[in-house]
């Protein structure tokens, strides 16, 4: 197996006429030690079927195929998607299997072949949260994974209730999985070099909180609670419940103080509130 060096990445990009764009959030990893570290921290087994989002020129893809037998790479850039199989074929071991899907990862609803069991990706900064949440929602077979995101986003994804950074990404991620910080990644390992630090977030799938409400109904409560963070839940959920009195009724039925604020609640509490929405037909 031959991974891409910084020189390889720049040579390949030059040959393809590829210039990293902010629109697509492209920052290519040019350090072999970093991609091997990502794969190691992801805790992959040979039998894992890995979905990678935004493989770019293939730095992380090659490192993944050192460990697992199959990677499904979702790439939005047609030039990069067309070149990736050739790069992998020239550098990977026999038996390693790559399938490239040319698509916007946020819009992907199905993937070819066996169901994916792990998500490992250097996610574009501008769509990191939507991609992660949509992948977890659409592919329940994803048991675990590791994503590299902007450091600030990493803090939000793993934040516990009551912390300054806890919010919508934290609560919605917690619906699907337990997430934790798994390390930091400095700017110099990327090309072009970003102006922000990156962080690794590892996650492990867990059962959703028990509730009679659907995920969409629970997420509607989360959205309403954080739309007006400084307001009490009685006030913030008034629109959701139809009135402040209705919100208070739902909150008390769920065992939540109406004077509390959204950042104080875990996802299980949001699930209880959703189940007691006025008119929902639950006891």
């Amino acid at each position: 197996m031959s991974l891409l060096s910084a020189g390889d990445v720049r040579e390949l990009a030059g040959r393809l006429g590829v210039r990293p764009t902010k629109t697509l959030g492209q920052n290519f990893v040019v350090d072999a030690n970093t991609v091997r570290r990502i794969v190691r921290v992801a805790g992959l087994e040979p039998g894992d079927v890995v979905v990678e989002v935004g493989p770019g020129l293939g730095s992380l893809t090659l490192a993944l195929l050192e460990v697992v037998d199959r990677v499904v790479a979702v790439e939005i850039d047609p030039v990069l998607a067309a070149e990736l199989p050739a790069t992998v074929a020239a550098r990977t071991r026999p038996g390693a299997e790559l399938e490239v899907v040319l698509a916007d990862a946020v819009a992907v609803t199905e993937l070819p072949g066996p169901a994916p069991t792990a998500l490992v990706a250097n996610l574009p900064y501008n769509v990191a949260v939507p991609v992660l949440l949509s992948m977890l929602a659409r592919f329940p077979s994803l048991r675990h994974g590791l994503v590299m995101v902007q450091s600030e986003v990493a803090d939000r994804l793993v934040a516990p209730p009551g912390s300054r950074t806890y919010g919508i990404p934290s609560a919605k991620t917690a619906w699907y999985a337990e997430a934790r910080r798994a390390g930091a990644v400095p700017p110099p390992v990327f090309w072009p070099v970003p102006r922000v630090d990156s962080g690794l977030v590892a996650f492990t799938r867990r059962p959703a909180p028990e509730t009679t409400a659907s995920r969409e109904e629970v997420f509607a409560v989360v959205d309403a609670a954080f739309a007006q963070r400084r307001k009490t839940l009685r006030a913030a959920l008034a629109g959701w419940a139809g009135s402040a009195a209705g919100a208070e009724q739902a909150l008390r039925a769920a065992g939540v103080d109406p004077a509390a604020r959204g950042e104080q609640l875990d996802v299980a509490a949001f699930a209880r509130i959703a189940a007691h929405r006025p008119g929902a037909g639950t006891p």
Side-chain angles (χ1 to χ4, degrees):
M1 179 72 72
S2 174
L3 300 188
L4 296 176
S5 67
D8 293 331
V9 169
R10 288 181 173 84
E11 186 278 328
L12 187 54
R15 178 166 59 80
L16 296 174
V18 170
R19 293 183 178 181
T21 69
K22 289 185 178 181
T23 303
L24 297 180
Q26 291 173 326
N27 292 92
F28 301 128
V29 181
V30 296
D31 179 66
N33 289 330
T34 296
V35 291
R36 282 201 170 110
R37 173 189 166 209
I38 290 170
V39 173
R40 183 178 66 253
V41 175
L44 300 171
E45 299 290 340
D48 271 314
V49 176
V50 176
V51 57
E52 181 189 5
V53 174
L57 293 165
S59 296
L60 178 56
T61 312
L62 289 167
L64 288 167
L65 288 169
E66 285 188 328
V67 175
V68 302
D69 293 331
R70 178 173 171 81
V71 171
V72 179
V74 181
E75 175 59 59
I76 194 172
D77 187 317
V79 174
L80 297 177
E83 183 67 19
L84 186 59
T87 300
V88 168
R91 293 172 174 267
T92 195
R93 61 183 170 81
E97 184 179 349
L98 169 72
E99 190 147 2
V100 180
V101 176
L102 176 60
D104 181 346
V106 176
V108 167
T109 57
E110 59 182 8
L111 293 169
T117 60
L119 169 66
V120 182
N122 169 23
L123 292 179
Y125 290 164
N126 53 347
V127 293
V129 173
V131 167
L132 176 61
L133 294 179
S134 64
M135 284 284 165
L136 288 170
R138 293 168 183 164
F139 301 102
S141 59
L142 290 172
R143 300 192 307 266
H144 65 121
L146 185 80
V147 293
M148 181 159 57
V149 297
Q150 185 175 335
S151 186
E152 181 181 339
V153 174
D155 290 340
R156 292 175 181 172
L157 289 173
V158 306
S163 66
R164 181 179 57 83
T165 51
Y166 183 70
I168 291 174
S170 325
K172 290 185 177 180
T173 300
W175 170 270
Y176 301 105
E178 179 182 355
R180 62 179 178 83
R181 269 282 208 155
V185 182
V189 305
F190 295 96
W191 173 68
V193 177
R195 296 181 179 179
V196 295
D197 290 336
S198 297
L200 300 177
V201 174
F203 67 87
T204 304
R205 175 84 69 167
R206 65 183 177 192
E210 292 188 13
T211 178
T212 57
S214 67
R215 181 186 71 238
E216 291 79 9
E217 290 169 334
V218 175
F219 282 10
V221 179
V222 173
D223 289 337
F226 286 102
Q228 304 176 79
R229 291 184 69 110
R230 295 183 180 181
K231 291 190 174 183
T232 65
L233 286 168
R234 184 182 190 277
L237 298 183
W240 166 81
S243 67
E248 180 166 349
Q249 175 187 333
L251 290 161
R252 292 195 182 282
V256 176
D257 182 357
R261 289 176 170 78
E263 62 262 28
Q264 298 172 259
L265 305 188
D266 62 14
V267 70
F270 286 118
R272 294 197 307 273
I273 296 167
H276 289 91
R277 184 175 186 173
T282 58

